[in-house]
Amino acid sequence: MSGPTARLGRVALLWRGDEAARRHATPDTSRFKAVFAALADVGVDAELVVYEDDVLDAVRAQLAKLDGVLVWVNPIHEGRNRANLDALLREVAARGVWVSAHPDVILKMGTKEVLHRTRTMSWGCDTALYRTAEAMRAELPVRLAAGPRVIKRNRGNGGQGVWKVEMLAGPHNPPMVRVLDATKEASEELALEEFFQRCADYFEDGCVIDQPFQSRLSEGVVRCYMAGDRCAGFGHQKVKALVDAPAARAEAGGRLYTSNADPRFQRLRRLMEDEWTPQLTSLLEISRRDLPMIWDADFMLGPPGADGTDSYVLGEINVSSVFPIPDEASAEIASRVADRLRSKL
């Protein structure tokens, strides 16, 4: 399919990489080649930018010449964070370059705090937020008495800083808990105070989130991919993270991607497009046009309703670096980018 004659603008696709990646990366060989092709089809010229902190000034100069930038950089990667990149993105955005996702939008919807801010929505659950270690020490034991909880660091990816915690039965002095790190396969037993100490650094990110453990987690997680406010596809996965039972862990596998037309998920699609995304943008005070070009929401199955219909419980929203994506999502991203650039003409 040939691209239209009229070009809508120029954008960059930015991701993190070292010097070798900067030398050898090309649109056709990158993992984003389908996105590059889809953008070309709708009249958007795209170029790649491989970022690292040591080339910040060169990236600044490159972005200043463009209409927009689509960013794929995790909040934490091999000990590095996004502090310098986010400062740069705020700077170029202030000069008129459209940034997706803007760091301020990420802070609103791409951190675990969103689970607390949206807890009253029908995707929510009994979610607590701890601003200080002292608050966590005072309140978590009371909640653990009612059943296992999931503790989540505010910023992270790949299961970093996510724990299943349950109080051990019987009298223990000091109180003892069983904890399972989402990045590990085996749980361990330790004093509750020792667990608090492990979480001490998490408060540097502003807060710690606490949710009830969802008993149906072993049935799998559904990831709904969104391009702006429209569904771009789904991914379904049986997971190992936070699952104790060996049989359930044995069933875990890779995420299976499917289009937004998959009949299994049409109720979830309607909820996301018609109900939840409008509520989300209202609660977080994000305009529709500032929604990321690609983001996703992970859902666990909650208790069935009276009619047997499954409910969904939000586990997290991913914004910073959503990839891989369903095959059909590249066209949805390109369509939203084209709409955004037309609005500037």
Side-chain angles (χ1 to χ4, degrees), residues 1 3-4 6-13 32-46 70 72 98 100 226-232 291-295 325-343:
M1 176 178 173
R7 312 307 289 175
L8 295 173
R10 297 169 60 213
V11 301
L13 275 64
F32 301 106
K33 61 182 180 181
V35 180
F36 279 105
L39 289 168
D41 284 343
V42 298
V44 177
D45 298 318
L70 310 182
W72 276 271
W98 165 55
S100 183
M226 300 291 291
D229 61 356
R230 312 310 297 171
C231 178
L291 281 168
M293 291 298 99
I294 186 67
W295 57 285
I325 56 178
D327 292 340
E328 298 82 0
S330 294
E332 295 288 345
I333 294 171
S335 179
R336 300 289 83 75
V337 171
D339 289 344
R340 179 61 189 251
L341 292 178
R342 288 190 191 99
S343 73

Side-chain angles (χ1 to χ4, degrees), residues 215-263:
S215 62
R216 300 181 67 189
L217 178 62
S218 61
E219 296 180 46
V221 172
V222 180
R223 175 167 288 184
C224 181
Y225 293 87
M226 300 291 291
D229 61 356
R230 312 310 297 171
C231 178
F234 297 95
H236 181 262
Q237 183 178 22
K238 292 287 189 74
V239 297
K240 287 185 178 180
L242 303 186
V243 174
D244 287 296
R249 292 180 63 85
E251 292 179 352
R255 184 175 291 111
L256 302 177
Y257 298 95
T258 186
S259 77
N260 59 11
D262 190 317

